[in-house]
Amino acid sequence: MQSISFTFDIWTSGAQQPYISLTTHYLTKQFELRNKTLGCSYFPGEHDGKSIFLKIKSMVSEWNMDILSLNIPIYMVTDNARNISCALNKYNSNDNLHHYFCAAHTLQLAIQDALKENNMESLLKKCRSIVTHYNHSNKSWERLQQIQVRLNLPNHKLIQMVETRWNSVFLMLERIIEQKEAIVLDLQNWVKDINITVGEWKLINGYVEILKPVLEATKEFSQEDIPTFLMQYSSRIRIFARSLKKSISNRFQVCKNDPAYLLATAIDPRFKTILMESYEVENVKRLLTTEVESFKLTSDTKLETTEQNIQPITVPVPTNSLWVILQERSISSTGNEGLTSCVKNEIQEYLHQPLLPPTSNPPCMVEN
């Protein structure tokens, strides 16, 4: 192995029993992504940093590996929980072990930041009450079903928001919007103590529009498509959108300062430096030069950067997609000045080539 990557999480079963699961991720020589679950273990007791680190160390050791003595790069990707961060930073003494936060979880934390900053709790409380009313009363649910049939609406149950479930705020609000006519009709006849005003309905609709691309971004981390981000409605919605954008920017700032994130983006032929500022591009070029020179390239191992060597596996791009925005930005971008050394020229040649289709799968590339 030249390096090894792990993900792990601590979770609670339906029987309220704590477990910890460990997965390893790797590339084959053919650049095929693979993952294997190494263990799922009962994990009672205090989940402080020390106990978590010792548990992970024990689970890894079952596969004849000692994470404290391995002299290859080890990458651990986890959620943003403080106890996990403590485990991998305070109790780890191996400089080869690197800890990174899950991007999807970080995105969900950004949503929570924006919800708190914009005092959405009152409106969300009303929405949760509506969902509880119909999901916990068979009589109320049957009434709603009958109205759905009369109005030719989908026969869908309402979705309850759960803080630990990703995108549940969006899913709850989206379903409420879908069933708006049925809900309004039933509430005005049978439930007088739950009332959503016309203005609040507009807010709900606006929040759905704002949160939709975040849902799709989370899906994209799991290899799903991304639709267009459309922002409209009231100034309050725009304020929420700005708050969400600010929170996302703050929480992902680490990506712009960590060489691992920058290099991972630069060597992805779908993105390269298209999303970077000019000063970041120069920094990435220096990082790439250092990395490539470390391989001590010879004429026999010269980098192959011609497009003929790459046959990406692609899927159709949706008409209204954030990928379309990325493609437009790629087409409109211009290259920087030429570089002189052999290695720098190789890097410059690579960066100047057109991006691969954004929905292609870079690891699935074959050589002629």
Side-chain angles (χ1 to χ4, degrees), residues 181-237:
E181 292 181 70
I183 292 171
V184 170
L185 189 58
D186 186 65
L187 289 182
Q188 67 183 10
N189 292 326
W190 295 94
V191 185
K192 303 299 183 182
D193 58 338
I194 303 178
N195 178 46
I196 295 184
T197 66
V198 173
E200 287 174 329
W201 279 114
K202 290 182 179 179
L203 285 175
I204 293 173
N205 200 71
Y207 290 147
V208 167
E209 289 295 328
I210 295 299
L211 291 173
K212 186 174 182 179
V214 181
L215 167 79
E216 299 302 333
T218 305
K219 288 182 178 180
E220 179 55 35
F221 289 130
S222 302
Q223 304 304 310
E224 296 288 344
D225 296 331
I226 302 178
T228 303
F229 170 28
L230 299 174
M231 187 180 74
Q232 50 186 347
Y233 305 107
S234 69
S235 60
R236 186 171 173 185
I237 298 299

Side-chain angles (χ1 to χ4, degrees), residues 332-346:
S332 64
S333 66
T334 57
N336 291 317
E337 67 281 357
L339 302 175
T340 55
S341 73
C342 177
V343 170
K344 289 182 178 180
N345 283 333
E346 291 282 0

Side-chain angles (χ1 to χ4, degrees), residues 11-265:
W11 48 280
T12 303
S13 70
Q16 297 302 305
Q17 294 179 319
Y19 287 86
I20 184 170
S21 54
L22 177 70
T23 304
T24 184
H25 307 259
Y26 60 96
L27 283 172
T28 67
K29 291 182 178 180
Q30 290 73 37
F31 278 83
E32 297 171 322
L33 283 168
R34 293 286 186 268
N35 65 80
K36 301 291 184 184
T37 299
L38 300 185
C40 182
S41 176
Y42 181 52
F43 191 24
E46 187 72 21
H47 293 167
D48 57 16
K50 184 176 182 179
S51 64
I52 292 173
F53 185 78
L54 292 176
K55 184 67 174 179
I56 290 298
K57 185 175 182 295
S58 173
M59 294 179 76
V60 173
S61 69
E62 294 178 9
W63 296 86
N64 298 320
M65 291 181 289
D66 183 0
I67 58 176
L68 288 180
S69 63
L70 279 175
N71 58 2
I72 60 173
I74 309 167
Y75 302 96
M76 290 272 189
V77 180
T78 72
D79 66 20
N80 292 256
R82 291 183 180 179
N83 56 346
I84 291 179
S85 181
C86 173
L88 295 177
N89 292 285
K90 181 177 179 179
Y91 295 97
N92 164 51
S93 59
N94 188 350
D95 292 338
N96 292 315
L97 193 156
H98 310 280
H99 178 217
Y100 294 100
F101 290 129
C102 168
H105 185 246
T106 303
L107 199 56
Q108 298 306 308
L109 292 178
I111 296 175
Q112 294 179 22
D113 294 341
L115 294 177
K116 292 176 182 177
E117 186 174 334
N118 288 270
N119 299 317
M120 284 182 60
E121 184 55 37
S122 177
L123 181 56
L124 291 178
K125 184 178 180 180
K126 282 188 179 183
C127 294
R128 288 196 298 266
S129 296
I130 290 174
V131 176
T132 299
H133 173 74
Y134 289 108
N135 286 356
H136 289 194
S137 168
N138 289 334
K139 188 175 181 180
S140 298
W141 168 234
E142 288 172 1
R143 284 202 317 269
L144 193 66
Q145 280 185 304
Q146 293 170 2
I147 298 175
Q148 288 175 341
V149 172
R150 293 202 330 252
L151 298 179
N152 197 29
L153 293 174
N155 182 224
H156 291 161
K157 293 198 71 172
L158 301 184
I159 299 174
Q160 185 59 277
M161 167 189 166
V162 180
E163 289 188 2
T164 56
R165 186 169 298 164
W166 291 355
N167 297 305
S168 63
V169 173
F170 168 82
L171 296 173
M172 177 181 72
L173 299 181
E174 182 189 46
R175 183 58 55 82
I176 285 177
I177 287 294
E178 178 196 83
Q179 299 295 329
K180 175 184 175 182
E181 292 181 70
I183 292 171
V184 170
L185 189 58
D186 186 65
L187 289 182
Q188 67 183 10
N189 292 326
W190 295 94
V191 185
K192 303 299 183 182
D193 58 338
I194 303 178
N195 178 46
I196 295 184
T197 66
V198 173
E200 287 174 329
W201 279 114
K202 290 182 179 179
L203 285 175
I204 293 173
N205 200 71
Y207 290 147
V208 167
E209 289 295 328
I210 295 299
L211 291 173
K212 186 174 182 179
V214 181
L215 167 79
E216 299 302 333
T218 305
K219 288 182 178 180
E220 179 55 35
F221 289 130
S222 302
Q223 304 304 310
E224 296 288 344
D225 296 331
I226 302 178
T228 303
F229 170 28
L230 299 174
M231 187 180 74
Q232 50 186 347
Y233 305 107
S234 69
S235 60
R236 186 171 173 185
I237 298 299
R238 290 193 293 272
I239 293 172
F240 175 74
R242 286 196 292 268
S243 295
L244 182 57
K245 179 181 177 182
K246 181 183 73 174
S247 183
I248 290 174
S249 178
N250 290 340
R251 285 193 174 273
F252 282 92
Q253 185 61 37
V254 63
C255 299
K256 292 192 173 187
N257 300 324
D258 192 314
Y261 288 108
L262 294 173
L263 286 171
T265 305

Side-chain angles (χ1 to χ4, degrees), residues 289-318:
T289 300
T290 301
E291 289 294 319
V292 175
E293 287 177 341
S294 69
F295 288 109
K296 298 180 180 179
L297 296 173
T298 65
S299 58
D300 293 330
T301 59
K302 184 179 179 181
L303 289 176
E304 297 290 346
T305 58
T306 57
E307 290 182 77
Q308 287 78 9
N309 291 330
I310 298 176
Q311 298 176 3
I313 296 176
T314 62
V315 297
V317 179

